[in-house]
Amino acid sequence: MVDVLSDLFILRRGVPAHVRSDNGPEFIAQSVQKWITAVGAKTAYITPGSPWENGYIESFNARLRDELLNGEIFYSLREAQILIESWRRHYNGVRPHASLGDRPPAPEVFVPALEPLTEPALAPAK
């Protein structure tokens, strides 16, 4: 976790004033808290049992768990990558969302291969 945050804070975005997160074990670990303090940021935790503080991700996590993770056993990292990417494409482009009037958020566009252009036969001059 510290490696990922290091890349974000130091190499890419700069140190934020606060790091807001849920109360998952990766964010309440003492080593992560000490590191966040050492780089000059403060922690701001979402109140336990308050999904309305981060409703989008709570909804997404529930769907990911229900629609994919509860029904799969991954036997390798590569298999997990392929199945998760397939689910992500379905979620983002095919699956209808009620908030969008039961339309997909970004439907995939199928562009058929173009047929080779041929010159039309010349009509005889009259």
Side-chain angles (χ1 to χ4, degrees):
M1 191 68 188
V2 170
D3 290 342
V4 172
L5 291 174
S6 293
D7 285 348
L8 289 172
F9 288 9
I10 298 167
L11 301 175
R12 297 181 186 196
R13 302 281 184 174
V15 178
H18 293 87
V19 175
R20 185 163 189 78
S21 72
D22 64 8
N23 294 285
E26 64 276 10
F27 284 106
I28 60 174
Q30 290 180 356
S31 60
V32 175
Q33 287 179 342
K34 286 179 186 175
W35 183 85
I36 289 172
T37 302
V39 297
K42 295 181 179 170
T43 53
Y45 294 112
I46 293 172
T47 308
S50 300
W52 51 85
E53 290 188 44
N54 194 355
Y56 171 76
I57 197 64
E58 294 291 333
S59 174
F60 174 79
N61 287 343
R63 295 197 192 296
L64 176 65
R65 168 92 27 219
D66 291 344
E67 296 175 12
L68 177 69
L69 300 177
N70 284 345
E72 296 290 343
I73 296 175
F74 304 115
Y75 293 101
S76 69
L77 176 59
R78 186 66 185 140
E79 180 185 13
Q81 290 170 331
I82 290 168
L83 291 173
I84 292 168
E85 176 62 14
S86 175
W87 182 84
R88 184 191 68 80
R89 287 176 179 249
H90 175 78
Y91 183 86
N92 286 334
V94 178
R95 180 184 169 279
H97 290 242
S99 64
L100 299 174
D102 290 322
R103 293 179 311 206
E108 290 187 20
V109 176
F110 175 75
V111 179
L114 295 174
E115 294 188 22
L117 295 175
T118 58
E119 291 187 34
L122 295 174
K126 292 186 182 183

